[in-house]
């Protein structure tokens, strides 16, 4: 019994994020724009793989390859996001307008997700496997005039996430 308890504690002790992403959200009248700013370590690793000419600038062919090889496969994880309308969670499977650039040594992604039709909805950011931590700072949530946005963290028992609540 003690061995089983020790194994359980040890396993949960190992479950912690390895990748940290500062997440920015912009709600416009016709679209939702998500921006990710990767931590320094992850940026260094990804740029080592994708900035092929090592000039610290991402050319379009490098961005296209990064999207195909690194970003598109994240659809399997719903881009670590979900839309919640009327208490129903909808996985995010599609995106548009992907872009990437380097700023202050950190890799930035930006992309658009489908905008809900509801006037009241939430966007959740989380990784239930706790490998990726998506952090949402209140100053990084912006809404168009006429809409209100709030952000908050939430505890979902086995993982911690952030949500942006939108009222249009």
């Amino acid at each position: 019994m003690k061995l089983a308890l020790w194994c359980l504690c040890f396993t949960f002790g190992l479950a912690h994020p390895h990748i940290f992403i500062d997440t920015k959200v912009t709600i416009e009248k016709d679209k939702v724009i998500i921006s990710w700013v990767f931590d320094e370590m992850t940026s260094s690793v990804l740029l080592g793989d994708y900035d092929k000419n090592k000039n610290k600038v991402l050319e379009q062919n490098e961005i296209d390859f990064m999207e195909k090889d690194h970003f598109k496969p994240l659809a399997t994880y719903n881009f670590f996001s979900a839309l919640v309308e009327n208490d129903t969670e909808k996985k995010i499977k599609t995106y548009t307008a992907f872009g990437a650039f380097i700023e202050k040594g950190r890799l930035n992604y930006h992309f658009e997700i489908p905008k809900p039709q509801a006037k009241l909805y939430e966007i959740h950011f989380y990784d239930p496997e706790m490998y990726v931590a998506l952090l949402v700072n209140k100053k990084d949530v912006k809404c168009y005039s006429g809409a209100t946005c709030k952000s908050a963290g939430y505890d979902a028992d086995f993982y911690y996430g952030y949500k942006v609540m939108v009222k249009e």
Side-chain angles (χ1 to χ4, degrees):
M1 181 66 175
K2 286 183 181 180
L3 178 62
L5 183 59
W6 183 85
C7 288
L8 183 64
C9 290
F10 183 75
T11 301
F12 281 112
L14 293 177
H16 64 277
H18 291 79
I19 296 171
F20 295 87
I21 301 173
D22 293 330
T23 305
K24 300 176 182 185
V25 181
T26 303
I27 307 295
E28 295 185 358
K29 285 188 178 199
D30 59 341
K31 59 187 167 186
V32 176
I33 304 167
I34 308 295
S35 300
W36 289 350
V37 181
F38 289 90
D39 64 85
E40 291 85 359
M41 177 68 81
T42 303
S43 294
S44 177
V45 170
L46 290 172
L47 291 171
D49 288 343
Y50 295 104
D51 183 14
K52 295 296 184 185
N53 59 10
K54 309 298 182 212
N55 68 348
K56 298 185 179 169
V57 175
L58 294 174
E59 278 81 24
Q60 191 59 50
N61 64 321
E62 294 169 327
I63 294 169
D64 292 344
F65 181 62
M66 185 179 285
E67 177 182 14
K68 177 185 171 196
D69 190 61
H70 184 251
F71 188 72
K72 276 186 182 179
L74 296 178
T76 302
Y77 302 98
N78 307 302
F79 304 102
F80 305 114
S81 309
L83 293 171
V84 178
E85 296 178 80
N86 303 319
D87 294 325
T88 302
E89 184 173 283
K90 297 178 182 178
K91 301 297 183 186
I92 297 172
K93 296 290 186 189
T94 61
Y95 69 92
T96 58
F98 176 82
F101 62 94
I102 304 166
E103 184 175 69
K104 298 180 182 174
R106 293 176 69 184
L107 177 62
N108 290 250
Y109 283 175
H110 59 87
F111 56 99
E112 297 174 14
I113 60 172
K115 187 165 186 221
Q117 296 301 311
K119 297 296 181 194
L120 185 63
Y121 59 91
E122 296 179 353
I123 308 168
H124 291 200
F125 300 96
Y126 62 93
D127 175 12
E129 296 174 10
M130 296 191 335
Y131 187 75
V132 177
L134 293 104
L135 312 168
V136 179
N137 190 313
K138 291 178 185 190
K139 70 177 179 48
D140 294 326
V141 176
K142 296 181 176 33
C143 277
Y144 69 90
S145 178
T148 58
C149 295
K150 296 180 190 174
S151 66
Y154 68 93
D155 186 350
D157 291 333
F158 294 105
Y159 64 88
Y160 190 81
Y162 283 87
K163 62 183 172 181
V164 174
M165 299 147 288
V166 182
K167 182 177 181 182
E168 297 188 70

